[in-house]
Amino acid sequence: MSESYSAAYAAAGVDITAGYRAVELMKKHVARTMIPGVTDGIGGFGGLFQLDVAGMARPCLVSGTDGVGTKIRIAQLMDRHDTIGIDCVAMCVNDIICCGARPLFFLDYIAIGRNEPEKVAAIVSGVAEGCVQAGCALTGGETAEHPGLMAPQDYDLAGFAVGVVDRDKMVDNARVRPGDVILSLGSEGVHSNGFSLVRKALDVENVDLNEWSGELGRTLGEELLRPTRIYVKPVLAALQAADIHGVSHITGGGFYENIPRCLPQGVTAKIEKSALWIDPIFRIIQRKGNVSEHDMFNTFNMGTGMVLVVAKEDADKAASALNGEGMGARVIGEIVPGGEDRVVLC
C-alpha cells in the first residue's frame, strides 16, 4: 500500500488513490498541448509559462473564464465525456480572441461526486483537444471529489485561459463605423449556451437521445453534444490579413446581447436574416418548445458562432484568410448609423 493513503478519508467518500490514477491517465493527453513557453510538467503546485513578448511594444495579458453549464447533463445522459472539455476551452479562448489575444495556457477545474479515473481522463482528453485546437498549453488543473454535496455520477467543469496581445494592436470598438460589413463564422450547432431551455424544449430526460433524426442527419444526442467550435486560429489569420474593427463571440444572450459588445455608441448592426445559415436544430427547438423568434435570437447563436466587423474594402481579404483556415465566412449585414436598437434583424 502506498504511504499516501487515508482509510479514514476513503470512509468519508474521498479516494485519493483514484486521484493519482486519474492524473496518470491524463498525462498523455496533457502532453499533446505542450508548446514553447511551458517550463514544467503536470504535478507541480503551479503551472509555469515563460512569456515571449518579442516584437510587442506593449504586451498585455488577457484572461477569460467560463464553464459548460447544463450541457453536461447531455454528456451524462449519453455517458460520453470526451468532448465536453472542448466546450470548456472554447468558451474561454473564444472570448479572449475577441480583442485579438493569442491564448497561451489553460487550466481546468473538475468537481465530481465520485472520482472515476477513466471518466476524469476522458473529460481531460477533451480539454486537451480544445487546447490543441486553440494552440495553447494545458498547464494544470484540479479535480475535487465532493461526496455528500454531489451525487456520485455528477460533475461540473470550468476553466480559464490566459492570452497575450500587443496593446497597440488590440481589437476594440473604436474604429467600427457605418459602412463596415459583418461577417458570420458558422457554429457547430448549439455550442454551450441555452441548454436549460434546450433541455426543457426537447424534454431530453424523456426522449431517446440515440434515436436517428433524418432532419438532423444524426441522433439528437450526437447533435446536442457537438462541441463548440474554436475560432482562435481563423480569427488570428483574419487579423493578419485584413482591417478587422470588431469581434464578438455569440454566446449566452445570442445576437441581441453579444453583437453590441463590439459596437460603439451611435451605430447599429443591421442583420439580413436571409443571409444566415440557421442549423436545423434551432428550428426543432423553436418548434417543439414554442419559442418566439426574438427569444431564439436572444438565447442561441442561431448558426453564427462569431461575427467579425470589417472594413468593407477588406471583406474579401478577411473571408479569404478565414476560408484558408477551413472557416467558411459569409456577409450577413452591415453597420449603419444607430438608433435606439443596437441590433436589427430584417
Side-chain angles (χ1 to χ4, degrees):
M1 181 183 297
S2 167
E3 270 188 45
S4 184
Y5 173 78
S6 169
Y9 210 9
V14 176
D15 183 357
I16 57 177
T17 59
Y20 302 146
R21 170 65 176 158
V23 169
E24 287 303 312
L25 290 175
M26 69 178 68
K27 280 184 176 179
K28 64 181 180 181
H29 303 299
V30 176
R32 296 180 57 218
T33 75
M34 294 300 98
I35 62 173
V38 177
T39 59
D40 198 10
I42 189 173
F45 285 99
L48 304 181
F49 194 93
Q50 187 168 333
L51 183 61
D52 181 3
V53 296
M56 292 189 183
R58 292 196 294 161
C60 181
L61 294 177
V62 182
S63 59
T65 185
D66 211 335
V68 183
T70 62
K71 184 173 183 175
I72 286 176
R73 182 57 182 158
I74 308 300
Q76 292 173 330
L77 290 170
M78 296 288 290
D79 194 24
R80 181 180 175 186
H81 310 283
D82 60 343
T83 63
I84 207 77
I86 302 175
D87 292 289
C88 189
V89 175
M91 298 307 294
C92 298
V93 298
N94 284 347
D95 278 354
I96 69 173
I97 193 61
C98 289
C99 69
R102 174 173 57 87
L104 299 172
F105 58 86
F106 186 86
L107 284 86
D108 62 23
Y109 178 85
I110 303 169
I112 194 164
R114 182 179 63 239
N115 191 334
E116 300 175 42
E118 289 75 16
K119 179 187 286 187
V120 171
I123 296 168
V124 174
S125 74
V127 175
E129 173 59 27
C131 288
V132 169
Q133 291 182 26
C136 66
L138 177 55
T139 57
E142 170 70 6
T143 301
E145 205 166 4
H146 289 170
L149 183 63
M150 303 176 75
Q153 73 276 9
D154 284 346
Y155 66 92
D156 196 12
L157 173 64
F160 76 90
V162 174
V164 64
V165 65
D166 190 333
R167 185 65 183 84
D168 295 335
K169 298 179 181 178
M170 185 178 292
V171 179
D172 56 25
N173 63 14
R175 294 186 302 125
V176 173
R177 58 184 182 267
D180 287 350
V181 301
I182 303 169
L183 291 177
S184 163
L185 308 188
S187 72
E188 292 285 349
V190 182
H191 282 182
S192 301
N193 301 104
F195 266 83
S196 294
L197 178 53
V198 169
R199 292 183 299 111
K200 180 178 184 294
L202 301 183
D203 193 21
V204 299
E205 302 287 339
N206 298 302
V207 300
D208 182 2
L209 293 175
N210 292 303
E211 183 177 351
W212 180 264
S213 167
E215 190 173 355
L216 295 171
R218 53 176 63 88
T219 70
L220 178 60
E222 289 170 338
E223 174 67 30
L224 296 180
L225 270 189
R226 290 169 73 190
T228 306
R229 181 171 274 179
I230 292 177
Y231 297 100
V232 171
K233 293 178 182 178
V235 172
L236 287 175
L239 289 169
Q240 288 290 322
D243 186 15
I244 307 297
H245 293 171
V247 183
S248 276
H249 183 200
I250 310 302
T251 57
F255 279 44
Y256 290 111
E257 181 176 324
N258 291 290
I259 294 178
R261 295 168 73 175
C262 77
L263 303 180
Q265 293 298 318
V267 300
T268 291
K270 181 181 177 183
I271 307 294
E272 299 287 344
K273 286 190 292 185
S274 62
L276 299 173
W277 170 252
I278 299 177
D279 293 350
I281 184 61
F282 298 111
R283 303 295 190 194
I284 294 174
I285 294 168
Q286 183 174 11
R287 183 174 71 245
K288 292 194 172 183
N290 193 28
V291 183
S292 70
E293 181 181 80
H294 179 275
D295 285 355
M296 291 297 295
F297 278 94
N298 207 169
T299 306
F300 303 112
N301 68 62
M302 300 301 285
T304 293
M306 184 161 280
V307 298
L308 272 59
V309 179
V310 57
K312 186 173 184 178
E313 60 271 19
D314 269 12
D316 288 343
K317 287 190 288 186
S320 178
L322 292 163
N323 292 335
E325 292 291 329
M327 180 62 60
R330 64 176 68 196
V331 175
I332 62 167
E334 63 177 335
I335 304 299
V336 299
E340 185 176 336
D341 296 322
R342 307 302 307 286
V343 176
V344 174
L345 300 175
C346 56

